[in-house]
Amino acid sequence: MSSHRAAAPSPDEVLTAALDIGGTKIAGALVTPDGELVHRVRRATPARESAEVLLGAVYEVVSGLAAHPSWEHVRALGIGSAGPVDLTHGTVSPVNIPAWRDFPLAASVEAHPALAHRRVVLAGDAVAMTAAEHRHGAARGYGDALCLVVSTGVGAGLVLNGRVHHGLTGNAGHFGHISVDFDGEPCPCGARGCLEGIASGTAITRHALSLGWRSSPASDASPDAAAVAAAARAGETAALAAFDRAARALAAGIAATAALVEIDLAVVGGGVAQSGEVLFGPLEHHLRRYATMPFLRRLRAVPAELGSDAGLVGAAVLAEVGAPVEVGALVDGSR
């Protein structure tokens, strides 16, 4: 299936609303039980504005969804938000949205008049992507898996024993902040040598530039991982080295996670994964070097299937099942 095409719901089909909130966009959709997007609303995130302005933008998206004729069939709304999140209190503190620190996003969204008598469920965006790939994508049928988002940052979620694993506060799977280089560069999180600082699209571009790669003079766009990938496909040494370094870091992190919780599948999505064989070729090579224990021999990395819609589809999946934390279940800051 593909979640990219719009579908007309049957007159009595129950739908789920979903929000995907990040540093650049706030997306919303009505989603069928099969993961099809019926109606979309999107606006830019006013990331440098006040908390109130940001919430107003979220409300605009919710109102746009509620204006659709199928809204009467919506029973719940799921939110996948950039993190960290705190599901115990229903709050978010996205690194790329400075005005939201311990912001009560779940309760604030539930207060929208259109959501009266509808369940609201909050999750981290990478966990939402994991729920989508597990229900409808590349991790279908797997009881245990790791699902990665490799883009301007690196996030992930875990499927354990057939269920998406959220952790105590909803932050399980913070894959980008596994340290893979003890003497590496300082990370904004406070640690050193974090995987995100080596394998993200930003890090790939930065490393390629440090090795002497330069984007085409004919290009008006700023250098990015897509341009580095194009150069790598053309055989440019610096670009190939930057992707090899990123793939090695990802392989080390995937193998370490697999050794800890015994998974045999890693699903890799996000913008960097669109690089294709430039990433997956060296990733497979390095995975074989790090995943050497007998119980890891089946471990493999595969591309995600749902693309940029995964966050919306996954937020809807989590809202359908009422997990991990419903706003109505939050009483005096406890579950």
Side-chain angles (χ1 to χ4, degrees):
M1 53 76 61
S2 167
S3 61
H4 292 271
R5 69 180 187 274
S10 61
D12 57 352
E13 182 173 32
V14 173
L15 298 173
T16 304
L19 297 176
D20 183 9
I21 301 174
T24 59
K25 59 96 173 58
I26 301 167
L30 303 182
V31 187
T32 73
D34 292 330
E36 302 289 349
L37 304 190
V38 173
H39 173 58
R40 302 171 187 259
V41 179
R42 175 174 173 149
R43 67 150 296 172
T45 303
R48 301 296 167 184
E49 300 293 338
S50 68
E52 292 74 18
V53 170
L54 282 156
L55 181 61
V58 174
Y59 269 31
E60 286 180 28
V61 173
V62 174
S63 296
L65 297 176
H68 192 271
S70 296
W71 182 254
E72 64 183 285
H73 301 299
V74 171
R75 298 292 176 266
L77 178 141
I79 307 169
S81 173
V85 301
D86 181 348
L87 300 188
T88 303
H89 300 95
T91 61
V92 300
S93 302
V95 174
N96 49 6
I97 303 179
W100 278 357
R101 290 295 173 265
D102 297 320
F103 182 75
L105 179 62
S108 298
V109 171
E110 189 191 38
H112 190 289
L115 290 169
H117 310 299
R118 291 176 170 89
R119 180 171 64 243
V120 174
V121 173
L122 172 67
D125 52 2
V127 174
M129 174 268 192
T130 299
E133 290 292 335
H134 186 230
R135 171 76 69 85
H136 300 294
R140 282 189 309 273
Y142 283 84
D144 303 276
L146 173 69
C147 297
L148 315 178
V149 180
V150 186
S151 187
T152 52
V154 178
L158 284 164
V159 176
L160 299 176
N161 298 319
R163 297 171 61 89
V164 175
H165 179 69
H166 300 275
L168 294 176
T169 64
N171 292 289
H174 248 69
F175 189 76
H177 296 286
I178 294 173
S179 181
V180 293
D181 183 357
F182 296 152
D183 298 316
E185 295 295 320
C187 177
C189 78
R192 277 187 173 272
C194 286
L195 197 150
E196 183 171 284
I198 299 173
S200 69
T202 305
I204 289 170
T205 306
R206 184 171 60 245
H207 190 62
L209 288 167
S210 76
L211 296 177
W213 172 76
R214 294 293 180 267
S215 58
S216 168
S219 174
D220 294 329
S222 299
D224 59 13
V228 180
R233 282 189 286 270
E236 293 192 32
T237 303
L240 287 166
F243 266 92
D244 184 78
R245 179 173 179 262
R248 184 178 178 186
L250 289 170
I254 291 169
T257 304
L260 185 65
V261 296
E262 199 168 351
I263 59 169
D264 56 12
L265 181 75
V267 176
V268 186
V272 173
Q274 302 303 311
S275 304
E277 187 61 18
V278 167
L279 175 68
F280 284 94
L283 177 56
E284 181 62 27
H285 168 72
H286 290 299
L287 204 52
R288 299 281 63 84
R289 295 179 59 209
Y290 288 111
T292 58
M293 298 290 283
F295 67 90
L296 299 178
R297 286 176 184 158
R298 293 187 303 172
L299 179 62
R300 62 195 183 100
V302 302
E305 293 183 1
L306 300 185
S308 60
D309 288 336
L312 288 166
V313 174
V317 168
L318 293 171
E320 279 180 43
V321 299
V325 175
E326 298 174 25
V327 174
L330 296 169
V331 180
D332 297 327
S334 63
R335 289 178 178 168

